[in-house]
Amino acid sequence: MKIYKNRIKSLCEWMQKQKIDAVVIEDTEGRQTKNLRYLSGMDSDALLIVFSNSETVLVAWDVIMAEKTAFADKIISYGDFNRNFCKAVKQICSAKLTEGTIEFSSSTPYVLYNELEKELYPFTIKCRAEGVDEYLLNLRAVKDEVEIEIYKEAGLLTNKLINTIEAAFIDGSIKTEIDAAMLIESEGRKLGAEGTSFETLAAGAGRSWGIHCIPAYSSDNIGTVLQGQAGGLSIIDCGLKFKGYATDITMTICRGSLSDKQEQMVELTKKAHNLAAEKASHKNICANELATAVDKFFEETGYIMPHSLGHGIGLDVHEAPSIKSGTPFKKTILPGMIFTIEPGLYDKDAGGVRLENDYLMTESGAVPITASKIIYLP
Amino acid sequence: MKIYKNRIKSLCEWMQKQKIDAVVIEDTEGRQTKNLRYLSGMDSDALLIVFSNSETVLVAWDVIMAEKTAFADKIISYGDFNRNFCKAVKQICSAKLTEGTIEFSSSTPYVLYNELEKELYPFTIKCRAEGVDEYLLNLRAVKDEVEIEIYKEAGLLTNKLINTIEAAFIDGSIKTEIDAAMLIESEGRKLGAEGTSFETLAAGAGRSWGIHCIPAYSSDNIGTVLQGQAGGLSIIDCGLKFKGYATDITMTICRGSLSDKQEQMVELTKKAHNLAAEKASHKNICANELATAVDKFFEETGYIMPHSLGHGIGLDVHEAPSIKSGTPFKKTILPGMIFTIEPGLYDKDAGGVRLENDYLMTESGAVPITASKIIYLP
């Protein structure tokens, strides 16, 4: 519980400086936010109101779940407000305050904002690009000691999983994309994870040209050689959820004898991964700088990487910091940040290759917490 | 391709009446919309611009995926706009139009709306609660012939899966929640589904009090009797995705001899399910009316159902029509609508029970397309 109290305390200090009297955080279908879980322990489907004196009210769709898992001064059923967002906010805020400023998420739809502004009069409504979401994004990006300990464990579990996947390719027990995904789902949970952190992407050599294959996995063969070819590239992109926190890794499986182009794509991806890991191992590196170095490296060889180099991980599988080029901002990767490095190249005929690992930035530079790899099979 | 052309044509007729020159639809992380797939065939991670003369431009993160799967007059890489939403919209619209009205999704965040309004001058920006989203919601709610055929097949697959799950409980091969979920993932795909339509919820008797258990499944036993009890209730809520379309069913597994309370909850849920199915089997039933009948039925027995009676299904697992009470609107469930009926009761000690099936409304009333059930095990 202490961890939630500390987080609420930090938020309230910021609220007081910003002259915000209440902050409303809602996780609902179509507008999910892990800020809810970060501040209350409640995983999803609830509305949290934080007052600047640090009082909290949680309005939950599943009130039994809230009572069993969440931390808040008061827990109310969403049914009491006929599941109406405006009504719940108005009643709860009016019971505490006669006037003041209420801040909502920057993702609040324009249409809902207009409704809130009308319904919540005489309260002042705030919804800012650089408001409470931005504050919580930055707070969440730098992991505290409890979170770093969780990640150390999560990294170990993920590495066990990587070894299990490799062994299953070597002994031939993974034949189809389904086999790979099922192994990951069941082994991950047996290892103690809550589950996978996102739907496993398992793309055999016929589909690895997609950055994120659709469907996520199928009955296609994986790690095998396609008819009429000497070799091929398959991709597995997966992660575990441990105590709410996501890991995220990608392995590439090279089967048979690769074409010159495939060979080159694999080598370049490995070099890009190692280049990025080496650069990140020094302290005070900027996210932008790191990503630009890799983009340049690929461009000099005539390839283009069609996605970002990496991203922060945490309660969300994608969170701050964003490790991408082309942004005008110089943002240093701070000690406590946990992020992926995941260079990849894709070709509609040759297929795709990606290598992804997770890193923790420390006072002296980034250290890997996962050990994903490129596997070669005969 | 014809199906997409027809849908674009319907949308453009509406746009002309509404004096809208371009509609912008984006599926992106945190703001997903199946309107993209509905109108273009592209599953996700892209921006579709539809002009009122029916020209379409698709801006895709994964341009290889777009070229292989999507239908649009022009396909462009998001990279060409440095993955900047405003920039992409501005350049594409300015190339076709010198002025006019551009409509965005009603879920466009307030903060983004302000940016668009500034950046897209001299275009007029529209973002309405009852605008293009509402139009597409209603269009998508009534399934066309192609979609109904898909659902008939999807229903058959789902029924095979239900029988397989039942058999695996009877022969004892499902022991843990993981076993149940793994069976569903692998059998579903073997049957020809693209995958599950959402993360399977498998809650053994110790966790079935949660409407949506967290984690979705664990290494807990399922369908077994808890220590110190004579019997228990377990819930499995799952669905298949077939050609993009979701089914959604829930089974309850009653193991051992139930307490009077558990027995009563199961009987009431079955009665509520049958009451709703019977009411829906008549044409011209209102969604609100159907849900209110079930809520009243439960309330008269002293129970409260903490969630809606049901919801439409389609490319999204939750879409229009919403089958819930407490709304002031009388919305008839129209022929072609496909929806769930899923009454449930939950108690923190006795556990939970839910029975969910999918229905197609026809000219003469709703017919079931799935046959989920409550299973009794010794």
Side-chain angles (χ1 to χ4, degrees):
Chain A
M1 296 300 105
K2 199 181 152 219
I3 194 172
Y4 301 113
K5 271 202 174 147
N6 285 345
R7 291 168 185 173
I8 294 286
K9 194 175 155 233
S10 300
L11 173 61
C12 287
E13 283 167 8
W14 175 85
M15 287 167 70
Q16 284 158 15
K17 269 185 228 149
Q18 297 273 322
K19 301 198 192 312
I20 302 292
D21 300 292
V23 155
V24 179
I25 286 158
E26 190 187 35
D27 177 276
T28 185
E29 198 170 13
R31 281 206 315 287
Q32 266 94 23
T33 172
K34 285 292 166 215
N35 288 341
L36 177 73
R37 179 157 176 170
Y38 186 74
L39 294 171
S40 74
M42 181 72 179
D43 187 75
S44 49
D45 292 314
L47 163 62
L48 178 73
I49 304 185
V50 180
F51 293 96
S52 58
N53 68 354
S54 89
E55 274 184 69
T56 55
V57 179
L58 185 71
V59 183
W61 179 65
D62 187 338
V63 79
I64 305 179
M65 183 70 75
E67 277 160 4
K68 294 213 186 201
T69 65
F71 169 80
D73 295 319
K74 201 170 176 183
I75 292 171
I76 310 177
S77 164
Y78 219 148
D80 291 0
F81 307 99
N82 201 23
R83 295 190 286 271
N84 181 308
F85 177 70
C86 253
K87 199 170 161 183
V89 174
K90 186 170 187 172
Q91 285 192 23
I92 293 165
C93 289
S94 301
K96 297 260 176 202
L97 306 169
T98 51
E99 53 170 18
T101 302
I102 308 175
E103 178 152 12
F104 293 84
S105 163
S106 63
S107 69
T108 303
Y110 173 72
V111 165
L112 179 59
Y113 177 89
N114 290 339
E115 191 189 337
L116 289 167
E117 196 170 46
K118 196 163 61 183
E119 294 292 329
L120 293 179
Y121 180 85
F123 289 106
T124 304
I125 303 304
K126 268 208 164 41
C127 177
R128 303 175 289 174
E130 285 163 15
V132 64
D133 286 357
E134 168 101 346
Y135 172 74
L136 288 172
L137 189 91
N138 289 326
L139 192 66
R140 281 173 53 187
V142 178
K143 272 60 184 176
D144 59 33
E145 278 172 36
V146 175
E147 292 173 305
I148 289 172
E149 280 313 303
I150 290 174
Y151 261 109
K152 284 185 178 162
E153 262 191 276
L156 292 177
L157 296 186
T158 305
N159 287 340
K160 282 186 188 166
L161 181 65
I162 291 166
N163 291 336
T164 304
I165 296 168
E166 182 178 23
F169 270 111
I170 291 171
D171 73 19
S173 57
I174 294 179
K175 289 184 178 62
T176 66
E177 295 169 359
I178 296 179
D179 294 338
M182 291 300 101
L183 178 76
I184 292 163
E185 290 292 336
S186 56
E187 280 302 310
R189 284 172 170 85
K190 281 181 203 157
L191 287 167
E194 282 162 53
T196 48
S197 51
F198 54 91
E199 194 177 17
T200 295
L201 303 168
R207 315 197 300 130
S208 63
W209 46 261
I211 306 174
H212 284 175
C213 54
I214 295 167
Y217 48 100
S218 75
S219 55
D220 280 11
N221 285 347
I222 193 167
T224 52
V225 174
L226 296 180
Q227 236 189 339
Q229 298 199 2
L233 302 172
S234 301
I235 287 180
I236 293 190
D237 188 343
C238 67
L240 294 179
K241 190 155 86 171
F242 182 67
K243 298 185 180 173
Y245 288 82
T247 63
D248 183 3
I249 62 103
T250 306
M251 307 169 76
T252 296
I253 299 96
C254 309
R255 169 73 83 174
S257 71
L258 303 183
S259 69
D260 287 350
K261 171 141 198 171
Q262 287 168 333
E263 197 98 46
Q264 190 186 31
M265 286 166 65
V266 171
E267 287 311 310
L268 289 174
T269 300
K270 276 162 71 174
K271 277 189 188 160
H273 177 273
N274 297 345
L275 168 73
E278 199 285 321
K279 270 200 161 298
S281 73
H282 303 282
K283 59 183 173 179
N284 291 328
I285 181 95
C286 287
N288 190 347
E289 216 175 289
L290 187 61
T292 304
V294 170
D295 281 352
K296 275 202 177 141
F297 167 78
F298 279 133
E299 276 163 30
E300 280 164 10
T301 66
Y303 283 94
I304 290 174
M305 175 166 75
H307 55 71
S308 306
L309 178 64
H311 53 82
I313 50 177
L315 289 169
D316 275 318
V317 68
H318 291 166
E319 54 177 68
S322 170
I323 318 281
K324 63 181 258 190
S325 58
T327 55
F329 314 111
K330 284 213 167 191
K331 284 194 176 170
T332 304
I333 305 178
L334 301 170
M337 287 184 168
I338 297 184
F339 59 98
T340 71
I341 289 179
E342 49 176 310
L345 293 176
Y346 312 85
D347 180 88
K348 69 181 170 38
D349 302 312
V353 51
R354 183 162 67 248
L355 178 58
E356 176 181 22
N357 275 302
D358 302 341
Y359 293 81
L360 164 66
M361 183 57 79
T362 71
E363 294 292 344
S364 56
V367 292
I369 56 175
T370 63
S372 180
K373 47 193 153 188
I374 291 177
I375 304 173
Y376 296 86
L377 298 175
Chain B
M1 297 299 106
K2 200 180 151 218
I3 194 171
Y4 300 113
K5 272 203 173 145
N6 285 345
R7 292 169 185 172
I8 294 286
K9 193 174 156 237
S10 301
L11 173 60
C12 288
E13 283 167 9
W14 176 85
M15 286 168 69
Q16 282 158 18
K17 270 185 226 149
Q18 297 272 323
K19 302 198 190 311
I20 303 291
D21 301 289
V23 155
V24 178
I25 286 158
E26 190 187 34
D27 177 276
T28 185
E29 195 169 17
R31 280 205 316 285
Q32 267 93 24
T33 173
K34 285 292 165 214
N35 288 339
L36 176 75
R37 180 156 176 169
Y38 186 74
L39 294 171
S40 74
M42 181 73 180
D43 187 75
S44 49
D45 292 313
L47 162 61
L48 179 73
I49 303 184
V50 180
F51 292 96
S52 58
N53 68 353
S54 90
E55 274 184 66
T56 54
V57 179
L58 185 70
V59 183
W61 179 63
D62 187 339
V63 78
I64 306 179
M65 182 71 75
E67 276 158 4
K68 295 213 184 200
T69 65
F71 168 80
D73 296 319
K74 199 169 177 184
I75 291 171
I76 310 177
S77 164
Y78 220 148
D80 291 0
F81 307 100
N82 201 22
R83 296 191 284 274
N84 181 309
F85 177 70
C86 253
K87 197 170 162 183
V89 174
K90 187 171 187 171
Q91 285 192 20
I92 293 165
C93 288
S94 301
K96 297 261 176 200
L97 307 169
T98 50
E99 53 170 15
T101 302
I102 308 175
E103 179 153 10
F104 293 84
S105 162
S106 64
S107 69
T108 303
Y110 173 72
V111 166
L112 178 59
Y113 177 89
N114 289 338
E115 190 189 337
L116 288 167
E117 198 171 44
K118 195 163 62 183
E119 293 292 328
L120 293 178
Y121 180 84
F123 289 107
T124 304
I125 302 305
K126 268 207 167 31
C127 176
R128 303 175 290 173
E130 284 162 17
V132 64
D133 286 358
E134 169 101 346
Y135 173 75
L136 288 171
L137 188 91
N138 290 325
L139 192 67
R140 282 173 51 185
V142 178
K143 270 63 185 175
D144 59 31
E145 279 173 35
V146 175
E147 292 174 305
I148 290 172
E149 282 311 306
I150 290 174
Y151 261 109
K152 284 183 178 164
E153 263 191 274
L156 292 177
L157 296 187
T158 305
N159 287 339
K160 282 187 188 167
L161 181 65
I162 291 166
N163 291 335
T164 304
I165 296 169
E166 183 179 22
F169 270 111
I170 292 171
D171 72 18
S173 57
I174 294 179
K175 288 184 180 63
T176 65
E177 295 170 359
I178 295 178
D179 293 339
M182 291 300 99
L183 179 77
I184 292 162
E185 290 291 334
S186 55
E187 279 304 309
R189 285 174 170 85
K190 281 181 203 156
L191 286 166
E194 283 161 52
T196 48
S197 52
F198 54 90
E199 193 178 17
T200 295
L201 302 168
R207 314 196 302 130
S208 64
W209 45 261
I211 306 173
H212 284 176
C213 56
I214 294 165
Y217 47 100
S218 74
S219 53
D220 280 11
N221 284 347
I222 192 167
T224 53
V225 174
L226 295 180
Q227 236 190 340
Q229 298 199 1
L233 303 171
S234 301
I235 288 180
I236 292 190
D237 188 342
C238 67
L240 294 179
K241 190 154 87 172
F242 183 67
K243 298 184 181 174
Y245 288 82
T247 63
D248 184 4
I249 61 102
T250 306
M251 309 169 75
T252 296
I253 299 96
C254 310
R255 168 74 82 173
S257 71
L258 302 183
S259 68
D260 288 350
K261 171 141 200 171
Q262 287 168 333
E263 197 97 48
Q264 191 187 28
M265 285 166 64
V266 171
E267 286 312 309
L268 289 173
T269 299
K270 275 162 74 174
K271 278 189 185 159
H273 177 274
N274 297 344
L275 168 73
E278 199 285 321
K279 270 200 161 296
S281 73
H282 303 284
K283 57 183 176 180
N284 290 329
I285 181 93
C286 288
N288 189 348
E289 216 176 290
L290 187 61
T292 304
V294 171
D295 281 352
K296 276 201 177 144
F297 167 78
F298 278 134
E299 276 162 28
E300 280 164 10
T301 65
Y303 283 94
I304 291 174
M305 177 167 73
H307 55 71
S308 307
L309 179 64
H311 53 83
I313 50 176
L315 289 170
D316 274 317
V317 69
H318 291 164
E319 54 176 67
S322 170
I323 318 281
K324 64 182 259 192
S325 58
T327 55
F329 314 110
K330 284 212 167 191
K331 285 196 176 167
T332 304
I333 304 178
L334 301 171
M337 286 184 169
I338 298 184
F339 60 98
T340 70
I341 289 179
E342 50 177 309
L345 294 176
Y346 312 85
D347 180 88
K348 69 181 171 38
D349 302 312
V353 51
R354 181 162 69 247
L355 178 58
E356 176 180 24
N357 274 302
D358 302 340
Y359 293 81
L360 164 66
M361 183 57 78
T362 70
E363 294 292 344
S364 56
V367 292
I369 55 175
T370 62
S372 179
K373 48 194 154 187
I374 291 177
I375 303 172
Y376 296 85
L377 298 176

